[in-house]
Amino acid sequence: MMNTIFIGGSRHVSRLPVEIKQRLDNVINSGHRVIVGDANGADKAVQKYFSEAAYDKVTVFCSGESFRNNLGHWATHKVDAPKHLKGFQFYAAKDREMAREADFGLMIWDGKSPGTVLNVLRLVLSNKIAVLFSVPEKRAINIKTRSDWESFLSRCNAELVHDIRDRATPEEWQPSTQASLLGAHEEATEASGCDFDAEQSVTPAASSSEDELAASLDAALAEADPAAAIKALGGLAKMRGMSNVAKETGLARESLYRALSSEGNPEFATVLKVLTSLGLHLSATRNVASG
């Protein structure tokens, strides 16, 4: 029986791991139909593999009128997208269409991309089985049900959860999902399937509240302990949402991750901007000698 497989992935994955090549060989040997996007990265790498194998059961989807990549000169499917949409939201139109049309999904993930994980949600909402392959971990995660999805996402970094929520439509990100996930786990774990660099893991224990972290920051500043101050400031930023802090400060999110990591050494101007975005301020008090 021929099935339709939606294959997609992260733009930062340009080389396919051996495990993915083996799965693509299985698709070819089984004669399944493949639908794939036209983006650079994983889409282009998958297209290249099928083109070199002279596999013809491929359809390339794009949003709008122009295709960025169609390496095998296969059949094409143009998906209408509102012209006012820009960037991710414009290209997401084709992803939603592919999720609806597919029987199964294979997503090739860089461990960080929210768009790739969001395609898993779209497949699950369409009652399709999805395989999320984490390239950094060389690990396949089978997600068959909404419960599987929520279990996976609840163990992921809170920043990734916020990014997915920001990109999802209200229909995709339902209230029950928000309630069960946004306050669940604030830091990634090795078993979560969310592979974040150790230097980016600036989140403190999930039980810490903003008031507790602010108190820790205050104590660290009073004791002139820069490492503890950066840790507390990073924890507050993560709890508030690093994307939100980045937007409010005008700083790049990746730079904030590095600056507020355990090895970070942020400029004083950066510290002031982050404090302001968090609704905090510094004050100077003269030390009074005892006796």
Side-chain angles (χ1 to χ4, degrees), residues 13 25 55 103 114 135 181-182 221 225 246 250 286:
V13 177
D25 286 339
Y55 192 63
D103 297 305
V135 173
L181 294 178
L182 288 180
L221 292 172
D225 186 343
R286 183 184 298 275

Side-chain angles (χ1 to χ4, degrees), residues 17-32:
V18 173
E19 295 86 349
I20 290 297
K21 291 180 179 179
Q22 291 172 345
R23 289 175 181 269
L24 299 186
D25 286 339
N26 291 336
V27 169
I28 293 172
N29 293 334
S30 300
H32 295 313

Side-chain angles (χ1 to χ4, degrees), residues 74-261:
W74 297 290
T76 58
H77 184 110
K78 296 179 180 180
V79 179
D80 291 333
K83 294 183 179 179
H84 70 276
L85 294 179
K86 302 295 182 181
F88 173 84
Q89 294 298 337
F90 177 81
Y91 293 113
K94 65 174 173 45
D95 295 330
R96 295 187 179 99
E97 183 68 22
M98 285 189 284
R100 285 190 292 266
E101 187 167 326
D103 297 305
F104 301 96
L106 172 60
M107 295 296 120
I108 308 165
W109 191 38
D110 63 359
K112 300 177 182 180
S113 166
T116 303
V117 179
L118 184 51
N119 277 334
V120 173
L121 173 59
R122 292 172 179 139
L123 286 158
V124 170
L125 291 176
S126 298
N127 297 314
K128 316 293 176 57
I129 295 174
V131 175
L132 180 67
F133 186 88
S134 174
V135 173
E137 295 180 342
K138 298 186 183 299
R139 173 171 173 250
I141 306 162
N142 295 315
I143 302 178
K144 302 178 181 179
T145 65
R146 185 61 178 261
S147 177
D148 291 341
W149 157 261
E150 294 188 357
S151 177
F152 161 75
L153 204 59
S154 69
R155 297 191 301 272
C156 285
N157 188 288
E159 185 66 16
L160 174 63
V161 177
H162 280 279
D163 285 349
I164 296 170
R165 179 196 60 180
D166 289 343
R167 293 187 177 204
T169 65
E171 293 77 18
E172 291 167 342
W173 193 265
Q174 299 174 6
S176 61
T177 304
Q178 295 185 39
S180 63
L181 294 178
L182 288 180
H185 294 276
E186 294 297 321
E187 60 182 338
T189 64
E190 183 177 354
S192 71
C194 303
D195 185 53
F196 288 83
D197 294 338
E199 68 179 14
Q200 293 180 334
S201 299
V202 297
T203 310
S207 58
S208 298
S209 67
E210 286 197 20
D211 289 342
E212 290 171 336
L213 288 172
S216 297
L217 175 60
D218 194 41
L221 292 172
E223 296 170 6
D225 186 343
I230 292 172
K231 179 179 179 181
L233 187 61
L236 284 165
K238 291 283 290 181
M239 189 169 289
R240 190 66 58 88
M242 199 68 79
S243 293
N244 295 329
V245 175
K247 291 176 183 178
E248 292 174 1
T249 60
L251 301 171
R253 190 180 66 174
E254 293 78 9
S255 298
L256 283 176
Y257 269 121
R258 288 192 296 269
L260 302 179
S261 72

